[in-house]
Amino acid sequence: MELRQLKYFLTIAKLKSITKAAEALHISQPALSKMMKGLEEELGMTLLIRSNKTNELTDAGNIVSEYAQKIFSELENMTTTLDDLTNLKRGEVHIGLPPIIGSLFFPNIMADFHKLYPNIKINVTEYGAAKVVRSVEDGELDLGVAVLPIDGTMFHIYPIVEEKMKLLVHHEHRLANATKVHLKELKDEELIFYHESFALHDIMWKNFIKLGFEPKILFKSSQWDLMSEMVAANLGITILPESICNRVTNERIRIIDLVPVTPWNLAVITKKDKYLSYAGRTFVEFISEHSLSKFQYNLKL
């Protein structure tokens, strides 16, 4: 059975005449009659009552007409839905965000994106940056925000933020008045550190190991505000990205530059061999083209 047969059959049913239908369809009457005969033989039922004046539908013909209309209605819906996707009237994106990163930049980004594309649904999953990378690799997520560097052979990488890590100490700490502090000076300090699921954990751990010592970790947390408040309570020191430091307002905390400079660079990643929907591609382009400096500036206000 072909869609063309059903289309022609519906024309006959509407006009109640093979002759008139042939004229409307711009085909010969014998060709149309042969096509309808073939449809009847395939279904094993008579669909048309043939007479010299009109062609009425049999009971079977009425059923075929009803279902054929549903088929073409669904095809039209499919075409409309696909058109909606390509014109971004609808869609869905699954994105992975590390909690710290999500709270810093993405509320404003998603608000602006939603204004432009109100019918695109953004599903956000909060994972540590390391798990975000694994989840994009496994296909669980369409895209994610990761801390660089990552393997460029497997992912498309779209850089979005370039910052530095900074040291936070209590205002009575021995380093509170320093303008710069070398990481090796933190050998005997008690650190408020990140959970293992965070990319920052491995980045900073490796930096300390390169200097010949393991950091003394007092507490581990996934919440930057808790980490900074622990510093304010003089429970230890911590190292956080620049944007987070710009949000710290507690007067008992001093924020100091680190030597050597430890970059904190973020990027949107997608898997190279995975299909990305129109909505997903548009979201990536929106983030890449968006001036994140605007959001970073807002964090300082």
Side-chain angles (χ1 to χ4, degrees):
M1 185 187 303
E2 298 178 2
L3 288 175
R4 185 177 61 168
Q5 289 176 304
L6 293 177
K7 180 181 178 181
Y8 288 0
F9 174 74
L10 286 176
T11 304
I12 295 172
K14 180 181 178 180
L15 298 177
K16 295 184 179 182
S17 168
I18 291 180
T19 301
K20 292 180 180 179
E23 292 175 358
L25 295 168
H26 304 290
I27 61 175
S28 68
Q29 181 176 333
L32 183 57
S33 296
K34 183 179 180 181
M35 187 178 294
M36 291 303 101
K37 193 66 176 176
L39 179 61
E40 289 176 323
E41 289 175 356
E42 184 176 349
L43 294 173
M45 292 185 174
T46 300
L47 304 179
L48 296 168
I49 300 172
R50 293 163 173 82
S51 68
N52 292 330
K53 294 183 178 180
T54 62
N55 297 110
E56 299 290 340
L57 300 183
T58 64
D59 290 341
N62 283 317
I63 292 173
V64 171
S65 175
E66 179 183 345
Y67 277 92
Q69 289 178 44
K70 290 180 181 179
I71 289 170
F72 284 105
S73 176
E74 287 302 307
L75 284 173
E76 184 178 350
N77 288 340
M78 180 187 72
T79 302
T80 301
T81 301
L82 289 173
D83 183 63
D84 284 351
L85 282 175
T86 56
N87 289 291
L88 297 170
K89 294 178 183 176
R90 69 175 70 193
E92 192 167 351
V93 182
H94 296 267
I95 180 172
L97 293 176
I100 290 178
I101 296 170
S103 64
L104 281 173
F105 304 112
F106 278 80
N108 288 331
I109 291 175
M110 288 188 284
D112 285 359
F113 185 80
H114 181 68
K115 289 176 185 176
L116 288 176
Y117 308 104
N119 294 319
I120 294 181
K121 182 179 179 183
I122 305 293
N123 296 306
V124 177
T125 301
E126 285 193 308
Y127 288 147
K131 189 172 181 181
V132 167
V133 174
R134 291 196 300 271
S135 298
V136 173
E137 179 181 352
D138 294 341
E140 176 190 348
L141 300 171
D142 299 322
L143 54 101
V145 175
V147 179
L148 299 178
I150 63 168
D151 182 7
T153 63
M154 188 173 296
F155 302 101
H156 294 293
I157 300 172
Y158 308 91
I160 56 173
V161 172
E162 293 182 359
E163 290 190 357
K164 301 172 184 177
M165 301 296 290
K166 302 234 178 186
L167 176 67
L168 286 75
V169 302
H170 188 268
H171 70 100
E172 294 179 349
H173 191 276
R174 66 180 181 87
L175 298 172
N177 295 320
T179 55
K180 291 183 180 180
V181 172
H182 198 288
L183 283 175
K184 64 185 179 183
E185 297 181 64
L186 307 181
K187 181 177 181 180
D188 298 320
E189 296 291 335
E190 291 183 323
L191 279 165
I192 299 159
F193 219 57
Y194 333 92
H195 281 302
E196 287 83 353
S197 62
F198 283 66
L200 281 176
H201 178 281
D202 290 347
I203 290 171
M204 294 310 304
W205 186 277
K206 289 176 182 177
N207 285 345
F208 287 123
I209 295 300
K210 287 179 183 177
L211 294 172
F213 67 94
E214 291 187 4
K216 293 182 179 179
I217 298 174
L218 184 63
F219 296 109
K220 290 182 181 179
S221 176
S222 60
Q223 303 297 322
W224 68 266
D225 50 349
L226 176 59
M227 296 170 76
S228 62
E229 286 305 308
M230 285 183 176
V231 173
N234 207 13
L235 290 173
I237 66 171
T238 194
I239 298 171
L240 291 172
E242 194 173 354
S243 288
I244 292 176
C245 294
N246 292 334
R247 284 191 171 190
V248 175
T249 58
N250 196 308
E251 294 181 354
R252 291 175 293 174
I253 295 175
R254 298 291 179 265
I255 300 170
I256 307 167
D257 289 339
L258 280 172
V259 180
V261 171
T262 301
W264 189 65
N265 298 335
L266 308 180
V268 175
I269 62 169
T270 61
K271 194 176 181 183
K272 283 187 174 179
D273 60 355
K274 183 179 184 294
Y275 172 76
L276 188 63
S277 68
Y278 289 104
R281 277 178 266 170
T282 301
F283 192 62
V284 170
E285 290 171 5
F286 180 83
I287 298 172
S288 299
E289 295 172 2
H290 227 55
S291 175
L292 281 186
S293 60
K294 179 180 75 173
F295 301 111
Q296 290 168 307
Y297 173 76
N298 287 340
L299 294 174
K300 300 177 183 180
L301 298 180

